Amino acid sequence: MGHLFRNKRLGLLLLTLLFSGFLLNFFLQAASFDMNVWSVFNWISEFYWLYLFGSLFFFFVLLGFAALLPNIYTGPLVTVLACVLLGITDYKKLITTGEPLFPWDLMLVKNTGEMLRITQGMVSPVAVILSLIVIAGLTHLLTILPKIKIRLPLRIFFTTLSLAMVTGFILMVGGQYTLASSIQYQNIFWNQKVNYTQNGFVFAFTGNLKQNLMEKPEGYSREAITKIAEKYSALPDIAASYQTTEQPNIMYMMDEAFFDPTRLPTYTLSADPLTFIHQEEKETPSGFLLSPEFGGNTANVEFEAITGLSMYFLKDGSIPYQQRIVKMSSLPSIVSILKERGYQTLALHPFDETFYNRNRVYPILGFDRFTSQKDLQNAGRITPNGYISDMSAVQEAVKELKASEQPTFLHLITMQNHFPFVKGPNGPNTISVEGVQAAQKDELETYVQDTKLTDGALSYLSEQLKTIQRPTLVVFWGDHLPALSAGIYTQAGWDSNPRQKHETKLLYMANYDIGKQSLGTMSPAYIGPTVFQMTGLKLPAYYKLLEKVKAEIPGLSKSVLIGTSGIISDLTAAQQALLDDYRLVEYDLLEGDNYSQSLLF
């Protein structure tokens, strides 16, 4: 009788785990559909096999952990909580940046403390308290649930079976086998949002586990790269726009979440937050940077600006720093090019050095030294709760330039304007905004105040340039638009205008004459060649290729293509040929045999 009772308990446990697998899969899919339950039911009605297989995947994960740990309830409970956290994270990332959660995002777990600070204010305190109460309740439940003893042979069987099924699922999805295709799975790597909504979270997430950055282009070979190198090496040297008497300092200032808020229609500001920038842009080369990102993924904008490679060719959702570059021994960049020409190469980022693996990626790109938050113990903040201010970061950069006895390339990535935009950390708001909904007024006014602080830091930098003896060129740009509440952009009418949602301020300043031409809108990948022309430095063959592409497609982004006379709807044969050359070189450097390093740099 006792044996029968134990079997009933075990059977009930298995049914509970099976039901939990279906429930977990449903919840994670709801996260991909903006927590719209009816959309999930519609998805299940069309892709029922994907839902069934995904739910069975979770069942075997739960079963494996139940059999593996002494208390059969502990493993499934921890797994359920982890999956719920994944779903919430996926949902929050989608509404903030428009992108789902990728496997490589989990590499930021090592930065949990910093992530909690960055996302402060995004999670309701009530939700946190309720979560803690639920966790405490579940923990107590573990102590009162009836004990179920599973003999060791059965535990081994369940563990082995679960491991085999989970491994088989991962191999099936990653290998795109016939079984996967027969249940309507298709790895839509070029559009990850559709990938997650069509295939389901578990299939899409698993399919991305072995995702490379880009597929091998047709015609890739050593001969193809050699021909490209010969073609662009043979081009005449581009005449320098301006010549300096000695090798100049070059400073990049990539400002966190910075754009011009006065561009937003429907809102009225009580004062101009960018008095310096709006005046300076009339006297120096300026325009807009077409960011490949919106609301986040700063490292991808940095990747373009430093390497001259374009996110346009990479698979949707890629983060090269975390997926590929960290595994490389070297990668040509403006840093390595200048280093070979006698430059000191410095990076300065007033935040955690391990974010996006910068501490490991920067030496690969050619940086001599990386100064991060841990090296700036006395750096200034507007308030103790704020990030290190732009003014403080700029002061540190100026100190480095003045102390150097050799030409210096300095790459500054600021942190002051990072979301969430809650009132207080960067001091009181001094500019009011009218026309904004009451619930979003503080948020928008806080962001406007942040940009005013950046404007002041840039004004200070402009004055300091006059005191630096060596010719010095500064390139300032915003990495992406801020992750403001969606309603702010909707009211401005920007939801259907990808160009406006990706254009940030771009400004060049120098302590020598560089003219005052309008730069229009350009991608960050072209900053390097433009800098070389403004400083009189000789362009390597790779930069000549970039200049050719820029002349045809100055704005190269997945969101929008911009030509010399506006948005491009169809590429010409000449434009496509240039992009084909560009794609081959990029593949060669990131995924191929790296013939380009010796041929184009």
Side-chain angles (χ1 to χ4, degrees):
M1 188 69 180
H3 178 68
L4 180 62
F5 187 62
R6 284 195 300 272
N7 285 342
K8 283 185 176 180
R9 282 186 175 178
L10 182 57
L12 182 61
L13 172 67
L14 292 175
L15 285 174
T16 302
L17 295 179
L18 183 62
F19 176 74
S20 298
F22 278 85
L23 200 60
L24 277 179
N25 198 16
F26 188 95
F27 172 74
L28 285 166
Q29 193 59 13
S32 296
F33 280 114
D34 200 23
M35 292 301 178
N36 188 319
V37 173
W38 296 113
S39 295
V40 182
F41 281 121
N42 289 334
W43 173 76
I44 292 173
S45 67
E46 184 176 357
F47 299 100
Y48 44 85
W49 285 114
L50 292 178
Y51 180 60
L52 174 63
F53 273 68
S55 300
L56 290 175
F57 169 82
F58 283 115
F59 165 68
F60 283 110
V61 170
L62 294 170
L63 178 63
F65 280 109
L68 195 61
L69 300 178
N71 186 320
I72 61 169
Y73 302 115
T74 303
L77 176 59
V78 172
T79 302
V80 167
L81 291 175
C83 289
V84 168
L85 182 61
L86 276 180
I88 294 172
T89 305
D90 181 41
Y91 169 71
K92 286 292 185 181
K93 188 183 177 199
L94 270 168
I95 63 175
T96 302
T97 68
E99 287 189 338
L101 186 71
F102 301 112
W104 44 90
D105 290 330
L106 300 184
M107 296 176 71
L108 292 175
V109 168
K110 67 181 184 296
N111 304 108
T112 301
E114 291 78 11
M115 288 299 295
L116 289 174
R117 183 180 178 191
I118 286 174
T119 56
Q120 181 183 4
M122 294 183 67
V123 181
S124 163
V126 175
V128 174
I129 293 171
L130 288 176
S131 299
L132 292 174
I133 292 173
V134 169
I135 292 173
L138 291 173
T139 303
H140 176 67
L141 191 62
L142 288 177
T143 64
I144 62 175
L145 283 171
K147 300 294 187 288
I148 300 178
K149 292 184 178 180
I150 304 179
R151 296 182 183 278
L152 182 60
L154 191 56
R155 282 183 181 272
I156 294 174
F157 171 73
F158 282 156
T159 303
T160 304
L161 176 64
S162 298
L163 183 61
M165 296 303 291
V166 169
T167 303
F169 179 87
I170 294 172
L171 292 174
M172 174 192 72
V173 175
Q176 282 279 283
Y177 291 109
T178 305
L179 177 58
S181 302
S182 69
I183 60 175
Q184 295 181 278
Y185 169 69
Q186 178 192 7
N187 188 356
I188 311 172
F189 58 81
W190 59 91
N191 189 331
Q192 288 289 353
K193 194 168 184 180
V194 174
N195 193 23
Y196 278 67
T197 53
Q198 178 173 312
N199 292 313
F201 180 91
V202 65
F203 272 89
F205 192 87
T206 304
N208 282 325
L209 287 174
K210 294 179 66 176
Q211 194 75 279
N212 54 357
L213 291 175
M214 58 191 300
E215 298 297 325
K216 183 177 180 179
E218 184 178 349
Y220 172 71
S221 66
R222 184 187 187 96
E223 290 71 27
I225 299 298
T226 301
K227 286 182 180 179
I228 290 172
E230 290 172 349
K231 182 197 304 184
Y232 294 100
S233 296
L235 293 176
D237 290 335
I238 300 174
S241 304
Y242 299 91
Q243 196 77 39
T244 58
T245 55
E246 57 182 329
Q247 284 186 307
N249 294 323
I250 299 168
M251 175 179 165
Y252 279 6
M253 181 175 173
M254 186 171 75
D255 206 80
E256 172 61 36
F258 185 91
F259 89 116
D260 185 349
T262 66
R263 298 187 78 200
L264 287 168
T266 76
Y267 303 114
T268 303
L269 279 59
S270 63
D272 182 3
L274 308 182
T275 53
F276 169 76
I277 290 176
H278 286 156
Q279 178 59 40
E280 185 71 6
E281 66 186 358
K282 300 173 185 176
E283 307 297 332
T284 193
S286 65
F288 296 101
L289 181 114
L290 187 68
S291 175
E293 300 294 342
F294 173 81
N297 288 341
T298 294
N300 287 347
V301 188
E302 181 179 2
F303 161 77
E304 281 207 11
I306 293 291
T307 66
L309 302 174
S310 177
M311 293 298 299
Y312 176 78
F313 301 114
L314 305 188
K315 292 180 179 178
D316 199 21
S318 296
I319 302 182
Y321 275 19
Q322 297 188 164
Q323 292 174 260
R324 184 72 184 99
I325 301 178
V326 72
K327 303 172 186 175
M328 301 172 73
S329 58
S330 65
L331 179 67
S333 68
I334 189 172
V335 189
S336 61
I337 295 170
L338 292 174
K339 188 173 182 176
E340 289 178 358
R341 299 187 186 187
Y343 274 71
Q344 175 185 215
T345 53
L346 308 176
L348 171 58
H349 180 43
F351 198 58
D352 189 312
E353 62 176 354
T354 65
F355 230 72
Y356 289 117
N357 289 315
R358 284 189 174 99
N359 60 323
R360 297 168 61 191
V361 167
Y362 281 171
I364 294 168
L365 294 174
F367 282 104
D368 294 321
R369 177 159 52 88
F370 176 24
T371 301
S372 66
Q373 181 176 253
K374 68 179 178 59
D375 307 306
L376 302 169
Q377 297 299 319
N378 298 318
R381 304 168 191 263
I382 308 300
T383 73
N385 293 325
Y387 295 107
I388 292 176
S389 70
D390 282 5
M391 179 65 80
S392 183
V394 165
Q395 288 170 344
E396 184 67 25
V398 169
K399 185 175 74 174
E400 290 281 9
L401 292 175
K402 288 184 175 181
S404 179
E405 296 181 357
Q406 65 186 109
T408 297
F409 173 78
L410 191 149
H411 176 49
L412 168 62
I413 316 101
T414 70
M415 197 65 191
Q416 171 192 282
N417 302 335
H418 204 288
F419 75 89
F421 304 105
V422 292
K423 196 173 181 179
N426 283 335
N429 296 336
T430 60
I431 298 177
S432 62
V433 181
E434 300 302 326
V436 62
Q437 295 180 16
Q440 297 162 353
K441 185 175 175 64
D442 277 353
E443 178 186 11
L444 186 52
E445 288 182 349
T446 297
Y447 177 74
V448 170
Q449 179 66 25
D450 290 349
T451 64
K452 180 181 178 181
L453 295 172
T454 299
D455 186 73
L458 207 58
S459 175
Y460 169 83
L461 177 58
S462 176
E463 290 301 314
Q464 288 299 307
L465 282 178
K466 301 171 185 175
T467 69
I468 298 175
Q469 292 184 350
R470 182 181 291 274
T472 301
L473 175 72
V474 174
V475 191
F476 169 88
W477 74 91
D479 58 353
H480 52 72
L481 267 71
L484 297 167
S485 295
I488 292 175
Y489 294 112
T490 301
Q491 182 178 328
W494 282 17
D495 284 349
S496 58
N497 194 322
R499 177 172 182 169
Q500 287 177 321
K501 289 189 78 171
H502 288 268
E503 280 185 335
T504 68
K505 182 59 66 179
L506 173 64
L507 185 73
Y508 287 72
M509 303 190 303
N511 56 6
Y512 62 94
D513 181 23
I514 55 173
K516 54 181 179 181
Q517 67 273 25
S518 171
L519 299 173
T521 297
M522 60 183 274
S523 291
Y526 305 133
I527 292 176
T530 307
V531 163
F532 272 46
Q533 287 191 64
M534 288 188 182
T535 54
L537 294 170
K538 184 177 180 180
L539 275 68
Y542 177 63
Y543 276 9
K544 292 180 181 180
L545 164 61
L546 292 184
E547 277 294 301
K548 283 292 185 182
V549 180
K550 177 188 167 192
E552 289 287 334
I553 314 172
L556 182 63
S557 163
K558 288 184 179 182
S559 58
V560 62
L561 294 175
I562 299 176
T564 53
S565 57
I567 293 176
I568 298 173
S569 53
D570 295 301
L571 293 168
T572 65
Q575 289 169 337
Q576 187 60 62
L578 283 169
L579 290 183
D580 289 343
D581 287 348
Y582 195 177
R583 187 193 306 271
L584 282 168
V585 173
E586 183 154 339
Y587 175 82
D588 178 60
L589 289 169
L590 291 176
E591 301 280 6
D593 295 315
N594 201 20
Y595 305 122
S596 303
Q597 186 157 358
S598 60
L599 295 172
L600 283 158
F601 292 89

